[in-house]
Each structure stands twice: as structure tokens, then as C-alpha cells.
Amino acid sequence: MMRRSPLSLWKVNLLLCLGQLLGCGEGRVHTETQPGPLYRVVGTPLSICSTSGFKDESTEKDFEIRVKKPAKPNYEIKVISSKDPFFSYAIYLDRIRSRDIALKRLSPNSVSFELHNLQKSDEGEYECTVVNSESTYNGVYTAIISVKVIDNSLSVSSPSSPSLSFKEGEALSLTCQASSNTIQHTHLSLAWYLHKDGEDSAQPVISLDKDFTLNPGQVFERRYQAGHISLNKLGEATYRLTIAQLEVSDKGMIYCRAVEWIQDPDRSWYPIIQKDAEQITLNVKAREVEDTSALAVRITAQQTALQEGQQLLLSCNVDTQNLEERFISVAWLRESDELARIGPTGVLSVGPLYTGRETEGELRVTRIGDRDYRLVLRPVRTEDQGEYMCRAWLQERVQGGAFNPSTAQDSVPQKISISTTESGLTVTMPGDVRVTEGEALSLTCKVDGFKGQLSVTWQRKSAFTAAAPFTNIISLNKEGVAEKAEEFAGRTVRVARPAPDTFILELDKVTSSDLGVYQCAVSEWNTNSKTHSQSRTTAVTVNPIDKLMRVLLSIRKGRVTVGENVELLCRVKGPQVPITLIWSVQRDNNLDNILTLYPDGTISWSGEQHHYQLRVENRKDVVFYYLQIIGASHREAGTYQCSVSVFLENIHKKVNESNMLAVMVQNPESKLVLASTSTLTRAINTDIEMSCSVTSTTSTSCLYSVTWLLQQAAKKRTIVSSDRGAFVTFGDQVELRHRQRISLRRTKGPTFSLTLRQATLSDQGSYICEVVEWQQDPRGEWYQLSKVSRITNLTVNEPAKSLVILQEEKEVNVSASQELPIPCNILKQSSDESMFQVTWFWQKETESQQRPIFTVYRNATLQDRLGEDVHAKFDHPALSQFSLTLQKPRPEDSGLYFCEVEEWVPSPAHEWRKVAVEKSGNLTVNVITAGEDLSYSGCNPVTWVVICVVIFIVSLLIILGLLLKICKSRGKKSSQTLWAEQPLTTKARAED
């Protein structure tokens, strides 16, 4: 009977989403999972999702669970929602209706995603999403975790009788075998539990945790500290519990429990599965001895009918209360002759009749426990037959170290008969036998010279201890009834008599513990008495299977192109025993199962089974296992390995692992060819279009992503890009004002055109068109080939230097009370993006030096050099007009004034350069003091007379021309007049 662990009682809870939505004020919503992938066994709970940070903690939050299966990693399947009953896909509806899959609300802010029967098909990438019920988004609302479902390979068994009976104070020794065939790195912990009669639950006796630390149970702490309870690990998978002194309260059900632990990516250990062995009924009887001075003495013989030369083994068992605190003497007697005695301090003394035989090594006495003593006499003689008895008495130590014996207590006599070897009975066995671990052992015993009925007993003893006694395996009495020893109750053991003179022992699936010396003891019977016995032995050697089995992995082609098939060959050479074969692949430091082939031919596939095929070929001494990858993609790239294990006597024994082979999946060679113009020259402020066209492609079903980059002064930056879905994004370094004049267009071919509107000098440089070809692999996933690029060198020509400044020469007289404006007007500029630096100069009449008096820089910074006594006002009424006004000029301010203009235009890499420098005409200024006449030299009286005469002559000529035209019109048509009505036109003339 196997106990179900509390972790997986019938209903398995796969807790995928536990939302603990805490009110965090203005905090951000946070949804997270532990790092993946998580390896879990069918039937174990899992918690992978938590959410916090919502403002409203009392409102119920809704959750949605989605999954992507390994077979279709880009296809999202809706599993279940706490809000929408029609959310789930059809494949989950039956499981939801039967409550096999359910969302159970634990609180307004948390739910549990329950799977009552986790299946291999549940493996995938799970997405836990909390539905936002607030008006704004602030934080992370989705978490993703990869879950891999692996087989349950944990095996736990206890090779013992289902019911055991002991007396109070006797020792209990039980073994438990626990092993796992999981290829992932796991640890096992093992504990013994005792469910005492009358108690509700089992109590741990002692445990060995995953870190190999012993921990006694709380109830058994005192007995553990006293050294009465121990747990030892024997070999790879056997654990032995020893209770030195049983108590009556130990009565109940005892069993062992194994737990398999795996280390998650977050470095924490998680129990993925636990399993209990069959329960053993433990019955502990109270001591029969009530009187503290009384002894219970029993004698037993291994065989009561012997032949000369055989071994006589007598065991004496002594029991009393508080035995460990007392001193006891034990003696063996035949008839009235004492053979040997063990004193209270363990000193051996031999009777006078047997001193010589003890010296020759024929008599041996040993104490094998607090209560058990053993006497061995070999070889026996006919005079050794008779009644044997075991005598024991308590010894009380007195002052001085002496002992006072109490009344002796004798056992019931045991009769031993010894016959002569005059019979013709002979037994023969073959020589030493070698058998491979996992195979069946078959021993044949031939009998000759018998007359009566025969019985046979097959026995075995350890090969490592020469003095160890033989223990029974199985016997066949003279009536043909077989009886198996208790030690082999759980083993497949058969005894057969195919012929009157032949006895055969068969033992299935031998292990390394089965090696030793095997004995065939045959007895001849006359009516109901045994007349003669003979025995023969043979040594059996068990060859470890891992020393004989070889696993080799090979591949014909380890580097393949996407879409090609890959075939790996795993050769398993060795004994023909049932094996479990596991194919695995390691990717990104994660070891994943591909498939497990069990001895009965059953295959357990992982979630990616559609991309693999398995083929097996049996040969005489080798088995070929072919793993074929159908249409390799980048997901199949990794390091492959096959491993073999054998399940012997309820223990998984990992025999061997193959070498590791890497499978590399590479992209096909790109045949993409681009064409573009290598050099392009355009004028500033014009629209520029640059194109690169695909002239040759790898396949007709490709998609393309394109990126335009600009390289200037060894610096490269992304201008604009378009992914394979034609989604356009600008580079991070492209300013918003430039994005508005940049566009990317795809046309048939395809051709990728980059347009720059209103090009500036800063646009020139090397434009790189990078195109990436995308193809679909057999899984439907897109992968990119190597990029191909073409360069177009763009030159933007600026217009000829066309800076023009008003060059008017003037002379002006101004009084000290007036303002003196000094204009500086730009009539024409080289570029609309030009900026100007204007400097006004002054030269005294008596000096030749021209002094700068005021400067306005292109960044609007002003520099005044006039001095503190001169006040000036700067004005910039228009983009091309600058003016400097001197307020209240002085006579000493007279002189020559002019302005100098520097024109600056933008250049690549956000710099400015000076393209032109021009000077204005000279303004001669005379500052007149009060009382002097003000006149302008350019407007003297002679000038005014000439202007008036010219105006009069021009006016006279115009009047004469009009009169002549009127006269001619009257002579041609008298009916029409100069003022004839003309139709009114509503259309404006072009010249207007």
C-alpha cells in the first residue's frame, strides 16, 4: 500500500497566479514571477505570479491566464479568465466544466489557478495578466513564466515483510530503497515515519534531508541522542533504519517517504514530488519476564539432522528486564557436558572435553548482540549427536569487582542427530558462475546415488565474510512443495526439478548484492526421517552492468541549414537487458527532455514531439536508436545526449551517458543584392530622394526590414528604420523638427526610398541603406539573414555668395539735441537659414583708424564699445534690417560711420560657418553746435533747381502724347468716343 503525500492529495493544485494586490498609494503596479524555466512533476502545486501596487485594494481584480505551447510558440491560447466565461478556447472547456481547471478566488486581490490533473500537454509558457480596472496604466500588468512538465520517475520501496513482530527491547532493522531517473539535477531526502496506534497522524522517526543532514523527529529525539536510533545510507539508493531497543509504544504502521528536490533558477530548492513506500505493520509485545531476576532462555539450531563433516550452529537467546544494565553468563551443554561459556565480562572459557577442538578451530563462540549468542561446531562427528541445552544466569557485581551468580535458567533441550556418510548420495554443481547485473541467475544441482525421496535447500552467504553462515533462499521438500525465505519475499525466485536427479535455482534480475557463495543442500529421506545429506557450493560473481554497457552518440552532419533534417544515432552495446533510454538537449544552460523510451516500448514525449521522430534497430549485440529532427530550426540547436538506465529491484540505476554532440543550425546563405546611386548632388532647400532597390533575393516569400543611417565625420547614427511589418521608427538622435521633413516609402520591387524635404547643408554625408532579409523556419518563426548595405554619398550645394548690403554714400549734419540713426540694411542673403553678425565702425576726421563701436552677434548677444559718455540704442525691426542710434551726439562724435555684416550658415554636425563679409556705404556725420545752420550737402539749391526743371519737362511731354492719341481716335470712327462703355471684367489681369 502506498501513502499519498499531503502535497498531492487527489486534487493537484497548480497555483499559477497568486495576486497579492497591496494598496500602495501612488506606487506602480508590479506583476512578477520567479525566473524560469520551472521543472514540475505531474501533481505538484506551483505559484508563479504576484501583483501589487493598485490604489484600490478592496475592489475585486480580474485575472486572465494564457499559454503558448512549445509546438506553436507564437500561437497564444486562452486558458481561463475570472471575468469572461467565454474567454477559454475549446480545448480547455471540458476540463473547466469538470473543474479539472479552475480559477479560485482567495481574496479580492488574489486567485489560484488550479489544475487537478496536470498533464504533459500542459507544458508551455504561461502568461498571467491582471485586468486594469483603473483609468490609467502605471506599471507592469503581465508576467510570463516557462513551465516544463516532466515524468514522475521517483521509486520508493521497502523490501520487507508487510507485518513484523518483535518483543520489547529487541532491535529493528529496516531498509528503504529510493531512486529517481530524472535527468535534471535533483536531490533526494528520505524520512521514516511511524503512525502509532491510537494517534491521528504519523510522526517522523528520523530523516536525511537533501543536504545529507540527519534530523531526528521530536518524539524520538531522546532515543536518538542515546544512540538507539540511526539512519545510514548504503550504496546509491538504500537507506537502513535501526532502532536498537523497541518499546511497546512503537506499535503501529511504519513506512519510509522520499522527496525529490530541484533547484529553481532563483537558487531555491523546491520539492517536485514525494512518494511513500508500502506501510509495514509493526507489532511490539511486552516482555514475558515479569520478575526482574528471571531469565527467558531459548535455543535454536540451524539444522537438526547433520552428516559427519557438516556444521552445527546453535543460537542462544536470553531476555530479561533491563538487560543492558545487567551482567549475564551463558553456557552450552551437550547432555551434561559443558562445551563453552561466556562470562559476564565477555571472556570465553571452553569445557575440558572440547579444548582441543577449540584450539583446532572446530569450535567457535560469538556474541552477536545484547541477547543473542552463537556456537559453531564444525566438522561434526557422530559422537556429537544428542541433546543440547543453553544455560544462562544473572551475575551481580559486588565490592571488589567480583560477581555473585543467581539461579541458572536452562532452555528447552534441542536434539541433534548426526548420520554417517556411508550413503552413495552425491551432489555436483558447476564451477564458478558469472552473471551480468540485471540478468537472471540459473544454478543447476545434480544428484546421484540416491534411493529414497529427496529434498533440496538453496542457500547463500556473502563472499566478503568467510565466516558468515549460509542463509536460506528457497527450499523444495520431498513432497515437491516450495518455501521461499522471508528475505526473498519480494524477489522473483523459483526452484524446479525438471528431472529426478536435477534441481534448478532461478533468480531474476540479479543485483550486485546477490554475489556470494551459493550452496545446494540435498537430503535423502526414508519415510519421515532424514537418512543422508550432501551439499555443494559454487561462487557467483555479478558483473556490474555499467562496466559492460557502452553508449555512443554520433551524427553524420552536425552543422545544418534551417529546414534540413538532422539524424543522431545512439549506439547501446552490452547485455540484452530492459533499459530506459532518454534523449535530452541542453540549451541556454537548461537541460530538457526530448523523449523517454521505457522498456515496454512506451514513449513519453516532451512538448516538442512534432519536430522529432524515433527509430529503433536491434542487432545481435547492439541496439541503434535514431533520433531524427524534422526540419531543423534555431530552436533545435543545442547539445544532444542520450542516457541509459536500468530498473533493478525497484531501483533506478543510471548505467551510462553518451558523449555530448552539438547540433548547430545556421541560416541559409543570403542572395540579396541591392542597387542604389552611389553619388548624389542636390541644391540646398530642395527635396531629395535616395533609393535602394532589391535586384536579387533568396526566396520569393521573404520579408524585409530596412534602416537608413547617416555617417558624418566618423559618426554614424540611425535616421529612420522600418521592420519587416513595415512599422516605421525614427532614430533616437533625430530631432522632432527634422522628423517632420523625413519620410520612408516602399514601392514595388521592393524599393526603399528615403525623402529629405527642404534639404539643408547639415543633411549632406554618407547615407547607408541596410536591408535585412527575413524568412520563416519550419516552426513558422521568422529569422533574419545577414544584412546587406549600399552607400549613397550626398552633397548639398549652397547658393553662390549673394550677400548684398546697401552701399549708399551719405553726409548728414545733425545737432547735439537730435538723435543720429546709423542704419545697416541687408538687401540679399545667401540662404534662408543664414544668421548675421553686424559691427558698426567709426573713423574720426583727423584719424585714419577705424574703430568698432558696437557689435550684435548672431546669437543676439550685444557688445557696446562706445564708452560711458555716449548713449546708443540698438534696433532690429526686421530680419534684414539693423539700426544703431546715437542719442545726443557730441561734436567730437563727428566722422565717418559704416557697418560690416558677416553671414553665417549651418554646416554638418550642427556647426556654423562664415560664408560672406560685406560693408555698407559710408555715412559722414557732422555734429553742429547750437546757432549753426543745418543743411544737407546732398540737397543744395542748385540741385533743387535741376530737379524741378526735369519734372516740368517730363510732365509736358506726357500731356502732348495724350492729346495726339485722342485726335487720332476721333478721325477713325466718329460714332465711338474716348469714353465708350466697355464690359466690366471680373477677372483680375495678370499684370495687376
Side-chain angles (χ1 to χ4, degrees):
M1 177 181 177
M2 179 171 293
R3 287 181 61 88
R4 305 283 301 184
S5 76
L7 285 174
S8 54
L9 291 175
W10 172 243
K11 173 181 176 181
V12 180
N13 176 15
L14 176 61
L15 189 58
L16 275 175
C17 183
L18 179 59
Q20 193 65 30
L21 302 176
L22 304 175
C24 298
E26 298 298 326
R28 290 171 56 86
V29 175
H30 187 55
T31 306
E32 64 179 353
T33 67
Q34 61 264 48
L38 301 181
Y39 292 89
R40 296 295 182 262
V41 178
V42 174
T44 56
L46 179 68
S47 175
I48 64 170
C49 181
S50 63
T51 307
S52 62
F54 278 101
K55 297 179 181 178
D56 189 356
E57 185 180 345
S58 60
T59 304
E60 283 191 353
K61 306 302 183 297
D62 288 305
F63 293 83
E64 297 173 348
I65 306 297
R66 298 173 177 85
V67 66
K68 292 180 180 178
K69 299 296 183 67
K72 294 182 178 179
N74 296 323
Y75 183 67
E76 188 177 75
I77 301 175
K78 297 179 179 179
V79 182
I80 194 170
S81 169
S82 62
K83 179 180 181 182
D84 185 4
F86 303 101
F87 176 83
S88 307
Y89 280 13
I91 58 174
Y92 290 108
L93 290 179
D94 291 340
R95 297 177 67 182
I96 292 174
R97 292 192 191 102
S98 63
R99 305 298 296 172
D100 184 32
I101 296 178
L103 267 180
K104 181 180 179 181
R105 184 169 295 280
L106 305 177
S107 71
N109 302 299
S110 64
V111 295
S112 65
F113 178 43
E114 298 178 345
L115 282 88
H116 295 259
N117 184 20
L118 183 63
Q119 303 172 3
K120 289 293 291 291
S121 59
D122 292 327
E123 179 175 316
E125 189 177 80
Y126 284 84
E127 178 182 285
C128 173
T129 303
V130 58
V131 180
N132 184 23
S133 59
E134 299 175 349
S135 59
T136 59
Y137 283 86
N138 182 24
V140 179
Y141 294 80
T142 297
I144 298 176
I145 185 67
S146 175
V147 177
K148 296 184 179 294
V149 182
I150 59 178
D151 290 338
N152 179 9
S153 63
L154 180 62
S155 172
V156 184
S157 63
S158 182
S160 180
S161 174
S163 180
L164 299 174
S165 296
F166 292 90
K167 289 186 178 181
E168 180 185 5
E170 290 184 338
L172 170 67
S173 180
L174 295 174
T175 58
C176 180
Q177 296 173 334
S179 62
S180 172
N181 200 35
T182 306
I183 64 171
Q184 284 74 27
H185 178 67
T186 60
H187 287 184
L188 291 182
S189 63
L190 187 130
W192 282 92
Y193 286 84
L194 177 62
H195 193 170
K196 297 182 179 182
D197 290 348
E199 294 188 358
D200 296 333
S201 60
Q203 298 291 334
V205 179
I206 191 171
S207 63
L208 182 66
D209 65 18
K210 63 182 183 300
D211 300 321
F212 305 104
T213 303
L214 278 175
N215 297 300
Q218 183 177 359
V219 177
F220 297 88
E221 174 75 25
R222 176 186 57 81
R223 296 166 70 180
Y224 170 77
Q225 296 297 337
H228 295 163
I229 295 178
S230 63
L231 177 61
N232 298 307
K233 186 176 182 182
L234 309 176
E236 295 183 0
T238 303
Y239 303 81
R240 183 173 63 192
L241 168 70
T242 302
I243 302 179
Q245 298 178 10
L246 287 172
E247 298 178 357
V248 177
S249 61
D250 294 333
K251 183 179 179 181
M253 307 296 291
I254 190 168
Y255 60 93
C256 64
R257 171 181 296 170
V259 180
E260 187 172 9
W261 299 76
I262 194 168
Q263 192 173 27
D264 286 340
D266 63 359
R267 312 304 297 172
S268 64
W269 287 91
Y270 185 85
I272 56 175
I273 190 66
Q274 71 177 35
K275 188 177 290 185
D276 296 346
E278 299 83 359
Q279 292 187 353
I280 301 171
T281 302
L282 179 61
N283 186 21
V284 182
K285 297 180 180 179
R287 286 196 182 101
E288 298 176 357
V289 180
E290 298 296 337
D291 186 1
T292 58
S293 62
L295 288 174
V297 183
R298 295 189 303 274
I299 188 171
T300 57
Q302 186 179 30
Q303 285 183 289
T304 58
L306 301 173
Q307 288 184 344
E308 283 184 310
Q310 290 186 326
Q311 172 182 286
L312 171 64
L313 190 150
L314 298 174
S315 297
C316 182
N317 179 267
V318 180
D319 196 9
T320 187
Q321 290 186 355
N322 302 323
L323 180 65
E324 295 78 10
E325 302 173 1
R326 295 170 176 261
F327 297 94
I328 299 177
S329 294
V330 178
W332 283 268
L333 297 92
R334 186 185 68 83
E335 304 300 342
S336 59
D337 298 326
E338 184 175 304
L339 283 76
R341 174 186 300 190
I342 295 181
T345 59
V347 177
L348 174 66
S349 59
V350 182
L353 297 179
Y354 293 89
T355 303
R357 300 182 70 174
E358 191 269 338
T359 304
E360 296 294 330
E362 295 183 6
L363 185 146
R364 300 190 308 275
V365 177
T366 57
R367 178 180 179 180
I368 59 175
D370 291 336
R371 295 171 173 79
D372 296 314
Y373 302 81
R374 180 175 293 172
L375 179 140
V376 176
L377 189 62
R378 180 176 182 179
V380 295
R381 308 167 185 173
T382 55
E383 60 267 21
D384 292 328
Q385 65 182 352
E387 289 188 349
Y388 285 80
M389 184 175 59
C390 180
R391 176 174 296 168
W393 54 92
L394 293 173
Q395 299 274 11
E396 182 180 355
R397 186 190 291 268
V398 296
Q399 190 175 4
F403 290 93
N404 290 333
S406 62
T407 305
Q409 180 69 41
D410 295 340
S411 67
V412 177
Q414 176 67 57
K415 186 175 182 179
I416 301 297
S417 61
I418 301 174
S419 60
T420 61
T421 57
E422 296 176 356
S423 172
L425 179 66
T426 59
V427 178
T428 60
M429 285 186 69
D432 295 349
V433 176
R434 286 185 173 271
V435 64
T436 301
E437 188 177 14
E439 293 182 344
L441 171 64
S442 179
L443 297 176
T444 302
C445 182
K446 288 284 188 179
V447 183
D448 192 16
F450 62 94
K451 298 178 181 179
Q453 293 180 308
L454 298 178
S455 65
V456 64
T457 300
W458 288 95
Q459 299 173 311
R460 184 186 71 88
K461 73 174 181 177
S462 174
F464 303 106
T465 308
F470 281 98
T471 58
N472 290 352
I473 301 175
I474 193 170
S475 61
L476 184 69
N477 63 19
K478 62 182 185 296
E479 284 82 16
V481 178
E483 183 180 359
K484 187 162 50 174
E486 183 178 342
E487 181 182 350
F488 291 84
R491 301 283 300 273
T492 303
V493 183
R494 293 180 296 274
V495 62
R497 189 179 183 181
D501 62 343
T502 305
F503 295 95
I504 297 176
L505 169 69
E506 293 180 349
L507 181 62
D508 282 354
K509 296 181 181 180
V510 298
T511 64
S512 57
S513 61
D514 291 324
L515 63 83
V517 178
Y518 285 73
Q519 178 173 270
C520 172
V522 179
S523 299
E524 186 177 10
W525 295 77
N526 183 9
T527 312
N528 291 326
S529 61
K530 186 185 300 184
T531 59
H532 300 93
S533 295
Q534 287 288 341
S535 63
R536 287 294 181 269
T537 61
T538 187
V540 174
T541 303
V542 179
N543 297 323
I545 194 170
D546 54 345
K547 304 297 183 183
L548 302 175
M549 189 166 287
R550 295 291 181 267
V551 184
L552 178 64
L553 182 61
S554 61
I555 188 172
R556 294 180 180 176
K557 188 178 179 182
R559 185 186 296 270
V560 297
T561 304
V562 173
E564 291 184 349
N565 292 343
V566 182
E567 188 173 72
L568 296 101
L569 172 60
C570 181
R571 294 182 178 88
V572 180
K573 186 175 183 179
Q576 297 294 321
V577 295
I579 65 171
T580 299
L581 181 83
I582 298 178
W583 281 96
S584 60
V585 59
Q586 185 171 0
R587 293 174 293 220
D588 300 328
N589 296 323
N590 295 321
L591 185 62
D592 297 329
N593 288 40
I594 299 174
L595 64 90
T596 302
L597 177 61
Y598 292 99
D600 60 357
T602 304
I603 301 177
S604 176
W605 291 91
S606 71
E608 302 178 0
Q609 68 182 82
H610 302 292
H611 303 281
Y612 297 95
Q613 287 184 357
L614 180 66
R615 180 164 54 92
V616 182
E617 290 184 8
N618 281 297
R619 302 283 178 87
K620 182 179 180 181
D621 57 348
V622 64
V623 182
F624 295 97
Y625 298 89
Y626 295 91
L627 178 69
Q628 189 174 32
I629 305 174
I630 308 300
S633 68
H634 290 288
R635 289 175 62 90
E636 278 73 52
T639 304
Y640 286 77
Q641 189 178 45
C642 62
S643 56
V644 174
S645 64
V646 181
F647 191 63
L648 298 174
E649 296 301 323
N650 297 323
I651 297 176
H652 290 286
K653 184 169 185 178
K654 295 181 180 179
V655 175
N656 219 331
E657 293 180 344
S658 73
N659 53 304
M660 303 185 77
L661 279 182
V663 173
M664 291 172 284
V665 181
Q666 61 187 11
N667 295 333
E669 184 178 353
S670 177
K671 300 179 181 178
L672 179 65
V673 178
L674 301 178
S676 66
T677 303
S678 59
T679 303
L680 200 62
T681 302
R682 293 291 184 270
I684 195 171
N685 294 327
T686 60
D687 293 348
I688 302 175
E689 183 177 274
M690 293 169 283
S691 300
C692 64
S693 303
V694 176
T695 59
S696 177
T697 182
T698 306
S699 71
T700 57
S701 59
C702 293
L703 295 180
Y704 301 93
S705 61
V706 60
T707 301
W708 281 92
L709 303 100
L710 173 59
Q711 185 170 359
Q712 295 173 326
K715 293 182 179 180
K716 186 185 296 184
R717 58 193 177 100
T718 300
I719 302 300
V720 65
S721 62
S722 173
D723 61 14
R724 66 174 187 269
F727 183 77
V728 177
T729 56
F730 289 94
D732 296 336
Q733 298 180 0
V734 179
E735 300 177 2
L736 180 61
R737 60 189 180 92
H738 292 306
R739 295 184 183 185
Q740 297 174 351
R741 62 186 187 88
I742 298 174
S743 64
L744 180 61
R745 182 167 55 96
R746 294 191 185 201
T747 55
K748 188 176 181 181
T751 298
F752 308 99
S753 300
L754 174 68
T755 301
L756 304 176
R757 295 180 179 83
Q758 294 296 307
T760 65
L761 293 175
S762 62
D763 291 331
Q764 64 184 358
S766 297
Y767 284 81
I768 305 171
C769 173
E770 288 185 351
V771 178
V772 177
E773 197 174 14
W774 292 81
Q775 290 188 334
Q776 273 187 309
D777 63 18
R779 290 174 172 264
E781 296 182 359
W782 290 94
Y783 66 94
Q784 66 180 50
L785 303 182
S786 57
K787 64 178 65 173
V788 178
S789 62
R790 296 282 294 178
I791 299 177
T792 299
N793 295 310
L794 175 64
T795 302
V796 179
N797 290 334
E798 58 182 325
K801 299 177 182 178
S802 57
L803 178 64
V804 178
I805 308 298
L806 183 62
Q807 299 289 338
E808 183 180 12
E809 299 286 341
K810 274 188 174 185
E811 182 177 351
V812 62
N813 296 325
V814 62
S815 68
S817 62
Q818 294 178 327
E819 291 185 346
L820 174 60
I822 310 173
C824 185
N825 297 326
I826 301 171
L827 302 180
K828 189 178 181 182
Q829 61 190 59
S830 303
S831 171
D832 292 339
E833 294 184 340
S834 297
M835 299 190 73
F836 304 98
Q837 176 177 313
V838 182
T839 302
W840 279 268
F841 291 85
W842 171 50
Q843 180 181 347
K844 288 186 177 182
E845 295 177 350
T846 59
E847 297 179 2
S848 60
Q849 180 183 3
Q850 297 175 346
R851 303 177 184 176
I853 59 175
F854 194 88
T855 301
V856 54
Y857 295 94
R858 65 175 188 272
N859 60 356
T861 302
L862 304 179
Q863 184 178 10
D864 185 0
R865 302 185 183 91
L866 289 169
E868 297 181 356
D869 297 334
V870 180
H871 300 282
K873 179 176 67 176
F874 170 73
D875 192 15
H876 185 27
L879 293 176
S880 60
Q881 295 179 7
F882 299 85
S883 176
L884 180 66
T885 302
L886 300 181
Q887 297 176 340
K888 297 180 180 181
R890 302 169 300 177
E892 55 267 26
D893 294 330
S894 300
L896 185 67
Y897 289 85
F898 66 91
C899 69
E900 182 182 84
V901 178
E902 296 180 2
E903 185 179 19
W904 295 74
V905 295
S907 65
H910 303 285
E911 296 179 356
W912 291 81
R913 63 188 182 92
K914 183 166 60 174
V915 296
V917 178
E918 293 291 339
K919 292 183 180 180
S920 68
N922 296 326
L923 176 63
T924 304
V925 177
N926 298 313
V927 180
I928 302 173
T929 58
E932 296 184 8
D933 293 332
L934 297 177
S935 63
Y936 294 95
S937 60
C939 297
N940 53 46
V942 177
T943 304
W944 283 107
V945 172
V946 173
I947 294 174
C948 292
V949 171
V950 172
I951 294 174
F952 176 75
I953 295 172
V954 173
S955 299
L956 184 60
L957 291 174
I958 293 174
I959 293 171
L960 290 175
L962 290 174
L963 290 176
L964 290 174
K965 186 175 181 181
I966 292 172
C967 291
K968 290 180 180 179
S969 299
R970 288 180 177 177
K972 290 180 181 179
K973 190 174 182 181
S974 59
S975 62
Q976 292 183 355
T977 68
L978 180 64
W979 311 107
E981 293 184 0
Q982 298 294 329
L984 179 63
T985 176
T986 59
K987 185 175 180 181
R989 293 181 301 172
E991 55 269 24
D992 292 340

